Amino acid sequence: MSLAIGPGTAVTLHFALLLEDGSEVDSTFSRQPAVFVVGDGKLLPGVESKLLGLVAGDQQELVLAPEDAFGQRNPANIQRLPRSQFGDIELSEGLVMNFADAANAELPGVISAIDDEMVDVDFNHPLAGRTLGFKVEIIDVQPHSGEGEVQHAG
């Protein structure tokens, strides 16, 4: 009997993340499959929950509401910063820049508006607020011991 995806399993799969118009954001179908352990945080929780119960050989095409993917856009994630903070950088709408967050980690932001004195920077995930397609093919499901790296059969 095939092992179903659930707590304590390591899963090998191919996936494609698609925009509503069908264009591909990311896909593993033309390269190495992805491997994750249920609950390890590599997959979005809303995606992981939709895979529970699937077994090797299963193929699914799922629709991910924003809540299951990258969340809704949050107006609080758009910050107005003084233009002087950007020095001589040539700014344009849509420009992606890296900023440091409070923990000094890199945080990408998109320039969303510019005037003579202020710059609006959108720190929402670029796919926030979007409904996405998720095509998945389960290749292998194995018990996971919780120690070290996932072992591949074959």
Side-chain angles (χ1 to χ4, degrees), residues 70-139:
F70 295 95
Q72 292 290 356
R73 293 186 61 72
N74 182 348
N77 289 342
I78 299 174
Q79 296 187 11
R80 288 184 68 77
L81 302 171
R83 186 169 182 137
S84 60
Q85 187 174 321
F86 293 87
D88 293 334
I89 297 171
E90 189 174 320
L91 299 174
S92 61
E93 287 185 24
L95 178 69
V96 178
M97 297 182 68
N98 284 321
F99 296 83
D101 66 11
N104 231 12
E106 236 178 50
L107 183 66
V110 179
I111 306 299
S112 58
I114 307 164
D115 65 28
D116 290 341
E117 299 189 7
M118 300 299 285
V119 177
D120 289 356
V121 182
D122 187 345
F123 289 102
N124 283 293
H125 188 284
L127 296 174
R130 310 235 359 214
T131 298
L132 302 170
F134 188 77
K135 189 182 341 181
V136 63
E137 178 184 346
I138 308 302
I139 297 168

